[in-house]
Amino acid sequence: MPRVLVTEPIDPAGVAILSQVAQVDQRHNLSPEELKACIGAYDGLLVRSATKVTQDVITAGHNLKIIGRAGVGVDNIDVPAATRQGIVVVNSPEGNTIAAAEHTIALMLALSRYVPQANQMVKAGEWNRKEFLGVEVYKKTLGIVGLGKIGSHVATIARAMGMRLLAYDPFISQERAEQLGCTLMELEVLLREADYITLHIPKTPDTTHLINRESFKKMKPTTRIINCARGGLIDEVALVDAIKAGRIAGAALDVFEQEPPTNSPLLLLGKEVVLTPHLGASTIEAQSNVATDVAEQIRDVLLGLPARSAVNIPGLSAEVLTRLKPYLELAELLGNLAGQLAGGRVETLGVRLQGELANNASQPVVIAAIKGLLGPALQERVNYVNAALEAKERGIRVVETRDESVRDYSGSLVVTAQGTQGEHSVAGALLGTGELRITSIDGFPISVAPTRYMLITLHQDMPGIIGKIGSLLGSFNVNIASMQVGRKLVRGDAVMVLSIDDPLPDGVVSEVVQIQGIQDAYVVNL
């Protein structure tokens, strides 16, 4: 009989499901050394957030077939290491959807009617009704930042409460937004018009401090903001200053930049602020849902069935995975790059398989490209199981084509993203050593090894322009690791790719596009 190790407390319903097909050992609070020493005896591992499933643990787990995380994030699991070993990693991306959405509504109402402070006053023996003159949410405008599963459910509830709905989500189609009763718009417009703003997006380098000092200047003085998503989406220092200055009316937070927020200035504010200790998923139902969801997936995999929420490649043998993995990495890279170049809302994603790659199974490669496109915005919410569905729900049309004609490389990919800000295409291939290489951008031939930080320019091929860019970056203390230029005609248009060691400081791109001959510039973070 298979054996499953559970290293943290989960709802008994999950244990019962696992017990149908496996011997379940519940061993909590294992040290890293203890986990590494015992994991080799198990076929499955179920954890929550405290257990660190490192590469060493995964390597020692030579019998492991699946690792389950009873929750959404999988940052405590070395997913690439598990993927290399052919181990399926699953989570429960929707188990806390209802709980998080309802907590958002609860905070919005508590903030509007001063419920926590009024409760505290009555319990203290006071009765001062005039101090707690609240506001109604009926007919108010709610701005929803992120229309994923939780944001969509918030929209459904708020619409039933008679609220007008605005939404910002670069990966949602107008049609899908209208189905939810939302008017889709740019973030700056939403900030200006909304009476309430609620955040339902992952924390990424692009979304960290998405709501900042400049954002608060755009809001109405009656605006109230709610965050049940991730700490760090709001600049808390700027938030405190905005509330103290009366630039906004208040805030309700369930998540914080540092948890617990022991020394946060938010703790010193009055009735304008409602704070809860990361309770978004803390319901009996949500904890049961995530435990049941993940336990069912572990059970299914042990029975030889596919997992429904795998964050890596579900159901593939180690042999097949080894063969496909480089092309999946290439497709994900190109999807990510094409999406960042396209900017705005992507409406069509094209994936063209060329050369010998056109003769192989295409579905995993196409899904990898979709995952790359959506990954920067959705993070752990998008995986190889749900990527196609996430694209469909966001109104993104996916077009697959094949071209068996021989190219410069035996197998290559072209990914094209077309959206509200135009169309961009990127091509890539694998070298003989397995190294990933970007081979063209918008039809301009290049040969670039992808790096984490890149600056890409479209410019006129003319003397001195490269030197000007180099001097400008040097003045900002930006170190250039490599540079490649691609052109079709001498002194025509050209593309330049600069690999840089660190993220570009604010303001650099606006300076770059001021250089004579530069037509456009793009910052890419991979």
Side-chain angles (χ1 to χ4, degrees), residues 374-514:
L374 298 177
L378 302 184
Q379 296 290 292
E380 68 272 3
R381 299 208 317 262
V382 62
N383 53 55
Y384 283 92
V385 172
N386 66 11
L389 179 60
E390 292 284 356
K392 182 178 180 180
E393 288 184 347
R394 284 159 174 76
I396 300 173
R397 178 170 173 258
V398 179
V399 179
E400 172 195 340
T401 57
R402 296 167 180 260
D403 183 357
E404 298 180 15
S405 60
V406 177
R407 305 285 177 174
D408 293 336
Y409 301 90
S410 59
S412 60
L413 280 171
V414 179
V415 176
T416 303
Q418 181 180 4
T420 55
Q421 297 183 19
E423 178 179 306
H424 288 274
S425 66
V426 291
L430 298 175
L431 300 185
T433 58
E435 180 184 355
L436 306 185
R437 191 59 56 95
I438 302 169
T439 57
S440 81
I441 295 178
D442 289 338
F444 292 94
I446 57 171
S447 181
V448 175
T451 58
R452 183 174 183 182
Y453 305 112
M454 295 189 292
L455 172 65
I456 300 174
T457 67
L458 174 64
H459 63 274
Q460 184 180 356
D461 181 30
M462 54 188 290
I465 198 166
I466 295 175
K468 291 177 182 177
I469 293 178
S471 298
L472 175 62
L473 295 184
S475 70
F476 280 90
N477 197 33
V478 175
N479 193 47
I480 299 173
S482 66
M483 179 191 71
Q484 286 281 335
V485 176
R487 64 183 186 180
K488 299 175 183 177
L489 298 173
V490 176
R491 299 197 180 235
D493 289 339
V495 160
M496 177 165 56
V497 181
L498 295 171
S499 298
I500 52 182
D501 292 334
D502 300 293
L504 281 181
D506 293 339
V508 174
V509 175
S510 59
E511 295 274 353
V512 169
V513 296
Q514 297 302 315

Side-chain angles (χ1 to χ4, degrees), residues 284-299:
I284 294 171
E285 294 85 354
Q287 293 305 304
S288 176
N289 288 342
V290 297
T292 300
D293 187 7
V294 172
E296 287 177 345
Q297 293 184 78
I298 293 176
R299 177 200 62 192

Side-chain angles (χ1 to χ4, degrees), residues 126-333:
E126 301 180 40
W127 191 266
N128 188 354
R129 297 172 61 192
K130 293 182 179 179
E131 186 174 340
F132 300 114
L133 182 64
V135 295
E136 297 178 4
V137 301
Y138 179 62
K139 290 190 177 180
K140 296 296 194 306
T141 299
L142 174 63
I144 304 173
V145 181
L147 275 179
K149 296 291 191 300
I150 297 173
S152 295
H153 194 68
V154 168
T156 300
I157 300 172
R159 186 183 186 186
M161 295 169 63
M163 301 188 78
R164 172 183 175 237
L165 305 181
L166 310 179
Y168 167 74
D169 191 324
F171 294 91
I172 286 284
S173 68
Q174 185 70 45
E175 181 182 4
R176 172 58 178 161
E178 289 174 356
Q179 289 174 354
L180 295 168
C182 297
T183 301
L184 208 57
M185 58 183 54
E186 294 302 318
L187 180 60
E188 289 195 1
V189 180
L190 182 149
L191 296 177
R192 288 197 299 267
E193 295 192 15
D195 300 301
Y196 293 85
I197 297 170
T198 178
L199 308 179
H200 300 287
I201 53 177
K203 183 183 178 183
T204 70
D206 290 334
T207 62
T208 298
H209 287 184
L210 178 71
I211 306 300
N212 50 43
R213 202 169 297 276
E214 293 302 313
S215 305
F216 292 121
K217 291 178 181 178
K218 297 181 176 70
M219 298 179 192
K220 298 185 289 190
T222 54
T223 298
R224 292 170 171 84
I225 189 165
I226 302 103
N227 184 14
C228 290
R230 291 286 185 270
L233 298 177
I234 300 175
D235 182 338
E236 292 177 6
V237 174
L239 172 61
V240 171
D241 291 344
I243 292 174
K244 286 183 175 179
R247 285 195 292 274
I248 66 169
L253 306 181
D254 185 50
V255 290
F256 306 88
E257 295 193 65
Q258 297 294 328
E259 295 185 359
T262 310
N263 299 314
S264 173
L266 288 164
L267 303 179
L268 304 177
L269 296 178
K271 64 181 182 180
E272 302 88 358
V273 174
V274 176
L275 308 176
T276 55
H278 208 144
L279 300 179
S282 295
T283 66
I284 294 171
E285 294 85 354
Q287 293 305 304
S288 176
N289 288 342
V290 297
T292 300
D293 187 7
V294 172
E296 287 177 345
Q297 293 184 78
I298 293 176
R299 177 200 62 192
D300 290 348
V301 168
L302 294 180
L303 290 174
L305 302 172
R308 59 178 174 268
S309 294
V311 301
N312 56 358
I313 301 96
L316 294 182
S317 68
E319 179 183 354
V320 174
L321 180 60
T322 300
R323 187 176 75 250
L324 280 181
K325 183 174 178 289
Y327 288 110
L328 298 178
E329 290 179 350
L330 177 64
E332 191 166 339
L333 163 76

Side-chain angles (χ1 to χ4, degrees), residues 46-123:
L46 195 155
V47 302
R48 293 182 66 184
S49 58
T51 304
K52 307 302 180 186
V53 188
T54 63
Q55 180 174 337
D56 286 346
V57 171
I58 290 169
T59 301
H62 46 81
N63 288 321
L64 278 178
K65 300 175 180 64
I66 182 169
I67 300 169
R69 157 74 163 98
V72 178
V74 290
D75 51 343
N76 58 316
I77 300 172
D78 190 333
V79 177
T83 303
R84 286 192 296 270
Q85 201 158 308
I87 300 170
V88 178
V89 179
V90 301
N91 66 346
S92 180
E94 300 179 24
N96 63 357
T97 296
I98 302 300
E102 290 184 354
H103 195 61
T104 298
I105 298 297
L107 286 184
M108 180 171 66
L109 294 174
L111 183 63
S112 301
R113 301 302 297 270
Y114 305 115
V115 173
Q117 299 84 357
N119 170 71
Q120 186 175 3
M121 178 172 286
V122 172
K123 288 184 175 180

